[in-house]
Each structure stands twice: as C-alpha cells, then as structure tokens.
Amino acid sequence: MYGTRKRKSQRKANHVMAETRIIHGFHAVTARIRQQAESVLELYLDTQRRDARIRDLLKLAEDHHVRVIPVDSRRLDGLAGNVSHQGVAARVNAAQRVRHLDDVLDILNEPALLLVLDGVQDPHNLGACLRSADAFGVHAVIAPKDRAVGLNATVEKVACGAAETVPYITVTNLARTLRELQEREIWVVGADGAAKKDLYGFRHAGGLAWVLGAEGEGLRRLTRETCDELVRIPMLGSVESLNVSVSAGICMFESRRQRAG
C-alpha cells in the first residue's frame, strides 16, 4: 500500500538540511500539502493504518509529488514528541512562512484586520486563536519572539489547518511594531477588562489591530500604553475574565459584523 513517491523536483531534496520542523495530525498535514506542497519534505504514515482517511492522504501526497515514508508507531511517537498524532506526521521547511508584516499589508485590498497576541504561552490557546483568525478573515496574527509559545506541532494540530492559512509573524519589539501599525493608519485596540468603553459602544471601519494579553496577566504595561484605545468585553455572569482565544474570537467576530453591516 505504501511506497516512496518521487519528488517533483530534485531541488526539494536540497532543502532537507534547511530549517525544518515536524507537524502532525490529519488537519495540519493535509492543509500544509494543499497550501504549500513544495514545503513538505517528507510525509510519515503509520504502517498499521489502512483506512479511507489514510488512503485519501496518500492520494493527495501522490498528486502533489510528496515523498511518503511508512514508519511504525514508535517512530511516529518520537517525531511528534509523544503526543497524539493520529498516525500522521510530516517534516516541513520552516522557512516557507511569511516573515515580514509588510509582505501582508502591502497587498491588501481591504482595511487590515490583525490579531496581536502579547505573550500567549499556551499552545492550545494559540492554536485556537489561529483557528478563529482564519474563520473571521484576519490577515495576520502577530506575536513577540520572546515570552510567547511560538508555532509548534501542538499549535498546528489545535489550529486544524489554520496555521497554514493565516500568516503568523513574530517580532522582536512588540511596542515598536504597534507604533509602525499606527503609522500605517491602523487603529490599535487593546482588549482590557478594566477599560471604560465596552465592545457594544466600539465602532471602527478602517484598519484595525486587536491586541490581547497573556493568560492570567493581560496586556503588559508598555503594550497597554501604546494602544490607541482600550475596550472591554461586557461580562454578565460571575466569572471575571474569558480565555484569550474566546476573547479574540469575540473581538474579531464583532469587527467582521460591523464591516458586513
């Protein structure tokens, strides 16, 4: 059933020694092949799986000339870091991603809608944020290089393919990046539970960047001070705050609702 597929170009073989990483799970791997097949260096499949889902993935890999390597479950466990991988993993070229925010903003044909995450460290939260960002047409997710989880296999799996469709851009200085967005006339709005204005009273039709803080800590002082405006999500129950991915989804949905209206 399994076989090694020839690559479309020998050039891809030269990328094996480049910066690479492992992604796993059907959603993440399938999305990467469909979106950036040239960046998939090797596809690893569990030799014990022979179901329709595996057959469909094999056909997709063959159509896109992706090399397939059958492996046992123990090797897959090691590749995926001993987390649930569904019998599927892939080694991909990490250098294929969008690296600079200008690459995104310079080609937009509508006002920018961005999500800025100030130090989110839980990979499940980041994956959920990416998934919501994809659902609401966010043009890019921005995060600092330090004090943030970064993209890893868990993020890819939770994102269910959104990590391949939404540009994830890391920056060395978040406050400076926010000021650069402001110079581009993008309104920078921080979600803060202590803000005077609530989401019901917030209106903005132009370029917009939502800024959300880390789990339990919220926005850092400099980040908060750099924002053009602070807005809180109205809370009617007894809980004091929402998960960052839930908050991000609410804010992005409201922005898209306003634009549609």
Side-chain angles (χ1 to χ4, degrees):
M1 175 181 175
Y2 294 100
T4 299
R5 313 296 184 187
K6 290 184 178 180
R7 304 192 185 202
K8 189 173 184 179
S9 170
Q10 184 62 34
R11 181 176 57 185
K12 185 181 291 186
N14 297 330
H15 289 167
V16 174
M17 298 306 294
E19 181 186 358
T20 66
R21 60 195 179 89
I22 296 293
I23 63 175
H24 57 77
F26 276 98
H27 285 297
V29 172
T30 299
R32 173 56 76 108
I33 294 175
R34 287 175 175 166
Q35 297 289 332
Q36 300 181 55
E38 72 282 358
S39 73
V40 182
L41 305 177
E42 294 170 337
L43 173 62
Y44 304 98
L45 299 180
D46 190 341
T47 55
Q48 299 301 310
R49 287 204 61 160
R50 300 179 180 273
D51 52 86
R53 205 172 186 188
I54 282 287
R55 290 195 296 271
D56 290 343
L57 183 55
L58 270 171
K59 179 63 165 58
L60 182 68
E62 182 177 8
D63 291 345
H64 287 83
H65 306 279
V66 173
R67 183 187 181 195
V68 178
I69 301 177
V71 296
D72 60 31
S73 58
R74 179 175 296 181
R75 184 178 179 192
L76 270 175
D77 290 341
L79 287 169
N82 293 310
V83 300
S84 177
H85 47 67
Q86 301 175 305
V88 176
R91 186 179 301 279
V92 301
N93 186 350
Q96 292 288 322
R97 293 185 177 278
V98 174
R99 296 293 187 178
H100 303 289
L101 188 56
D102 289 342
D103 295 336
V104 175
L105 298 179
D106 289 345
I107 63 172
L108 294 182
N109 55 13
E110 66 171 336
L113 180 57
L114 307 171
L115 175 62
V116 182
L117 300 175
D118 185 16
V120 171
Q121 299 183 30
D122 186 325
H124 294 86
N125 278 338
L126 177 55
C129 284
L130 287 167
R131 191 171 180 178
S132 294
D134 176 83
F136 299 120
V138 169
H139 299 117
V141 174
I142 304 167
K145 289 183 178 178
D146 299 326
R147 298 183 68 244
V149 61
L151 290 181
N152 58 33
T154 300
V155 173
E156 297 260 4
K157 185 176 181 182
V158 174
C160 292
E164 313 306 328
T165 59
V166 180
Y168 180 75
I169 299 168
T170 57
V171 297
T172 55
N173 188 315
L174 188 60
R176 182 173 61 204
T177 298
L178 295 181
R179 290 192 290 269
E180 291 172 353
L181 293 178
Q182 292 165 335
E183 291 173 359
R184 282 179 170 262
E185 299 185 349
I186 296 174
W187 198 246
V188 177
V189 182
D192 191 313
K196 294 182 178 179
K197 178 179 288 188
D198 67 25
L199 195 60
Y200 296 147
F202 174 72
R203 295 288 184 275
H204 189 78
L208 178 63
W210 279 106
V211 188
L212 284 89
E215 306 88 347
E217 300 178 9
L219 300 174
R220 288 179 290 176
R221 179 187 59 81
L222 184 57
T223 303
R224 184 185 296 105
E225 293 175 353
T226 307
C227 291
D228 294 305
E229 189 173 2
L230 298 176
V231 174
R232 62 181 170 84
I233 297 173
M235 304 287 290
L236 303 180
S238 59
V239 298
E240 296 181 356
S241 63
L242 295 171
N243 177 282
V244 62
S245 62
V246 174
S247 297
I250 291 171
C251 294
M252 292 183 289
F253 169 81
E254 176 60 17
S255 294
R256 278 298 173 189
R257 187 194 69 81
Q258 289 186 20
R259 293 187 181 193

